[in-house]
Amino acid sequence: MNQVEEFNAYRSKMNEKIIAADNKVLKRIFNLDTNAFAEGTLDVKTKELIGLTCSMVLRCDDCIKYHLGKAKEAGISDEQIVEAMAIANLVGGTIVIPHLRKAMEYLEELNK
């Protein structure tokens, strides 16, 4: 199982457990997240690039992986993804570089 398959399997398994806990607040947060990234005034591609950039600045590797996967699903090119990651590094500073390395590695896995 490669890095992408492991991440997606773990995420799905744990999301099912979280939803099964039947907590109203957690369910609403998950629903809000789903709806926030749906097509709206901003298109899905733009929202995914924003999500990726914010995730990098906040240094959340799981979030970065998630948004990289969604970006590829949305048809965003590697060049556009790398440009968004460059902006994240500009905004977040050099502390984001370790997350950039992991993001580039994950992007390579997504492209296999």
Side-chain angles (χ1 to χ4, degrees), residues 16-73:
E16 287 174 16
K17 289 183 180 199
I18 291 166
I19 295 303
D22 200 30
N23 180 279
K24 186 189 315 185
V25 174
L26 290 174
K27 284 183 173 182
R28 287 183 177 176
I29 289 169
F30 273 56
N31 183 270
L32 181 61
D33 182 68
T34 298
N35 286 313
F37 284 91
E39 191 80 22
T41 304
L42 294 174
D43 62 34
V44 171
K45 290 181 178 184
T46 301
K47 289 181 177 188
E48 287 305 331
L49 289 173
I50 291 169
L52 173 61
T53 303
C54 291
S55 297
M56 291 191 71
V57 171
L58 292 170
R59 302 186 304 274
C60 176
D61 289 326
D62 278 4
C63 299
I64 292 166
K65 288 176 181 177
Y66 174 77
H67 288 292
L68 282 171
K70 296 304 271 185
K72 294 302 287 185
E73 285 177 22

Side-chain angles (χ1 to χ4, degrees), residues 51-109:
L52 173 61
T53 303
C54 291
S55 297
M56 291 191 71
V57 171
L58 292 170
R59 302 186 304 274
C60 176
D61 289 326
D62 278 4
C63 299
I64 292 166
K65 288 176 181 177
Y66 174 77
H67 288 292
L68 282 171
K70 296 304 271 185
K72 294 302 287 185
E73 285 177 22
I76 299 171
S77 72
D78 287 357
E79 293 80 11
Q80 291 169 315
I81 290 170
V82 171
E83 190 167 327
M85 292 192 302
I87 292 168
N89 274 264
L90 175 66
V91 172
T94 57
I95 196 166
V96 177
I97 291 172
H99 304 277
L100 173 64
R101 290 183 189 115
K102 290 178 185 175
M104 292 299 288
E105 177 184 25
Y106 196 76
L107 184 58
E108 286 179 349
E109 287 290 319

